[in-house]
Amino acid sequence: MNQAVLVIDVQHALSHGAYAAFDADRVIERINTVCAKARAAGVPVILIQHQSVGGALDHGSEGWQLAAGLAVQPGDIRLGKTATDSFHKTELQALLQRLGVERLVVCGFQSEFCVDTTVRRALGLGYPVSLVADGHSTLDGPLLSAAQISAHHNRTLADIGSFGPLVTPVAAADLTFEAQSCSKDFVDAGGIRLATLADIEPVAALFDAYRQFYEQAPDLALATGFIRERLQKQESVILLARDAQGQAIGFCQLYPSFCSVEARPIYALYDLYVAPVARRSGTGRALLQAAERLALEQGKARMDLTTAKTNRAAQSVYESLGWVRDEVFYAYSRQLGR
C-alpha cells in the first residue's frame, strides 16, 4: 500500500518562543527519524506550512519558516494551507491521488488543532492513518497539560471507527516503510521490475551512459541527482532490467502525462537504453513490452515516444511491437532559458 508522510506545521513560531510546542526539539528529532526512513523507502514526504495574514505565521515571516531543526531534503514536497484542515482549499488531495497514495503517516503540530482536524478529514476521504504517537505535540491548555492533550488524541483518534479506515498510533522508532513506487508490486516475468531509491546507483550509471549516447558530456553526479529527484518526487516510472548475475543492463523511463483530446492519462516513454554488453539480447524489446504491460495495468490510454530519423534499428523494433509512426502531426520544441 503506497504511503505518504504529512509533516504538519513544524514551523519556527510553533517550535520557538511563546507558542513553542511542548518538547518541540525532541519531537522534531523523532519526526526527522520518520522522514529519513520514509525517504529511504521512496515514500514521499510532504511538508505542510500554515500561513496567515499577519500574526506569528504571517506568510514569509520568520515564524512561518520551517523549524531550523527539521531535516529537509530537495525531493520533499511543500504545501501551504490556511486552515486547521490540511485538505481545505489546498492541492493535497489531488497530489495524493496523483502519487497513488493509499495510506498516510501524520506527525507535527499542534495535536488538538491541525493534526486532529487533518487526521479526521483523511479518514473521511478514505485514508487509513498511522499517527506518529510521539511525533506530535502542542502547548499546555487550561485543563490539560500538553502531554495529556497529545496522549488524549492518540487514544480518541484510534477509537474512531465510523469512517471505515482507522487510525493506528505508532511510535517513531517502531514505524517501518516498505520500498514503494507507483506500482511497487509490478515485476515482469523476465525479471524487469520497477526501480526504487535503492536502485539509484545502477540506474544513474545507465542514465549517464544514455546521455553520452546523445552526445552529452559524462556527468555521473548530475545523472544521480536527476534520477534521485525523479524517484523521490515520483515524477517518473523507471523499469530496470538485470541479467542472470544481477547486473543492471538496461532501463526504460516513463513520464506520466495526459491526452487532452482523449481526456485520459498517458505515458511519455522518453528514455530507453541497453548497455552495449546486453544489446541484441532482446532486452530493449523486453523493456518495451514490460512498459506496455505496466501502462495497461495503470489504465493509460497510450504511450508516446520520439526517436532519431536515422535510428532504423530502433524503429524496426518499435514497429514490430505495434508502435505506429505519426504521419499527420509535426512535433515542435521551443528551447527555453538559454
Side-chain angles (χ1 to χ4, degrees):
M1 181 178 286
N2 278 5
Q3 301 181 75
V5 177
L6 304 186
V7 181
I8 300 173
D9 298 355
V10 181
Q11 294 166 258
H12 182 81
L14 301 180
S15 57
H16 298 82
Y19 300 106
F22 170 71
D23 205 23
D25 289 344
R26 276 176 285 196
V27 171
I28 292 173
E29 287 177 4
R30 291 190 281 270
I31 290 173
N32 287 340
T33 297
V34 169
C35 292
K37 289 192 282 188
R39 295 183 190 104
V43 172
V45 173
I46 303 172
L47 307 174
I48 299 170
Q49 290 173 266
H50 194 88
Q51 58 193 50
S52 61
V53 178
L57 296 173
D58 186 36
H59 185 267
S61 69
E62 181 183 23
W64 170 83
Q65 303 295 333
L66 293 172
L70 182 66
V72 178
Q73 297 298 320
D76 296 343
I77 302 167
R78 297 195 184 194
L79 185 76
K81 68 177 180 66
T82 57
T84 54
D85 177 2
S86 298
F87 292 91
H88 181 68
K89 295 183 178 180
T90 74
E91 296 299 317
L92 180 57
Q93 172 68 340
L95 172 64
L96 297 176
Q97 290 177 329
R98 189 166 69 247
L99 295 173
V101 171
E102 301 166 287
R103 184 181 186 90
L104 295 174
V105 176
V106 176
C107 53
F109 302 143
Q110 294 172 328
S111 302
E112 75 275 38
F113 293 114
C114 298
V115 171
D116 175 86
T117 308
T118 298
V119 167
R120 291 173 188 266
R121 181 69 183 280
L123 294 176
L125 290 170
Y127 296 102
V129 175
S130 294
L131 177 62
V132 185
D134 52 356
H136 63 96
S137 185
T138 188
L139 287 74
D140 290 336
L143 300 177
L144 298 173
S145 69
Q148 289 173 321
I149 293 170
S150 296
H152 170 78
H153 279 75
N154 285 338
R155 177 62 183 271
T156 56
L157 289 172
D159 285 343
I160 297 173
S162 56
F163 289 105
L166 301 175
V167 175
T168 305
V170 185
D174 297 330
L175 195 61
T176 59
F177 297 90
E178 291 184 3
Q180 71 176 52
S181 59
C182 62
S183 185
K184 66 183 179 61
D185 296 325
F186 179 88
V187 179
D188 183 74
I192 295 169
R193 64 174 181 80
L194 285 166
T196 70
L197 286 170
D199 301 304
I200 287 176
E201 185 176 340
V203 173
L206 290 166
F207 184 66
D208 189 42
Y210 163 82
R211 295 183 72 249
Q212 290 178 55
F213 179 82
Y214 284 98
E215 301 180 352
Q216 301 300 304
D219 194 336
L220 185 57
L222 181 150
T224 301
F226 183 88
I227 294 298
R228 176 181 290 110
E229 187 170 9
R230 298 291 77 70
L231 290 174
Q232 284 180 334
K233 293 184 176 181
Q234 297 197 0
E235 291 176 337
S236 73
V237 175
I238 300 175
L239 290 163
L240 180 63
R242 295 182 181 270
D243 63 17
Q245 290 72 46
Q247 295 298 309
I249 56 173
F251 81 101
C252 172
Q253 184 160 212
L254 302 162
Y255 291 94
S257 186
F258 293 89
C259 173
S260 296
V261 175
E262 296 185 48
R264 292 183 61 192
I266 64 173
Y267 268 141
L269 194 159
Y270 203 99
D271 310 333
L272 176 65
Y273 180 79
V274 177
V277 295
R279 289 174 188 164
R280 299 186 182 278
S281 66
T283 301
R285 177 181 291 271
L287 281 164
L288 288 166
Q289 291 172 325
E292 182 170 340
R293 280 190 286 273
L294 179 63
L296 286 169
E297 175 187 301
Q298 296 181 343
K300 307 299 183 185
R302 68 171 192 272
M303 295 186 291
D304 293 338
L305 65 78
T306 59
T307 189
K309 293 180 179 180
T310 56
N311 195 348
R312 303 294 185 190
Q315 292 168 28
S316 176
V317 174
Y318 300 146
E319 291 170 9
S320 72
L321 291 173
W323 291 74
V324 178
R325 187 170 65 187
D326 193 336
E327 303 287 357
V328 178
F329 295 97
Y330 287 116
Y332 289 85
S333 63
R334 176 79 166 93
Q335 194 69 43
L336 302 175
R338 290 186 182 178

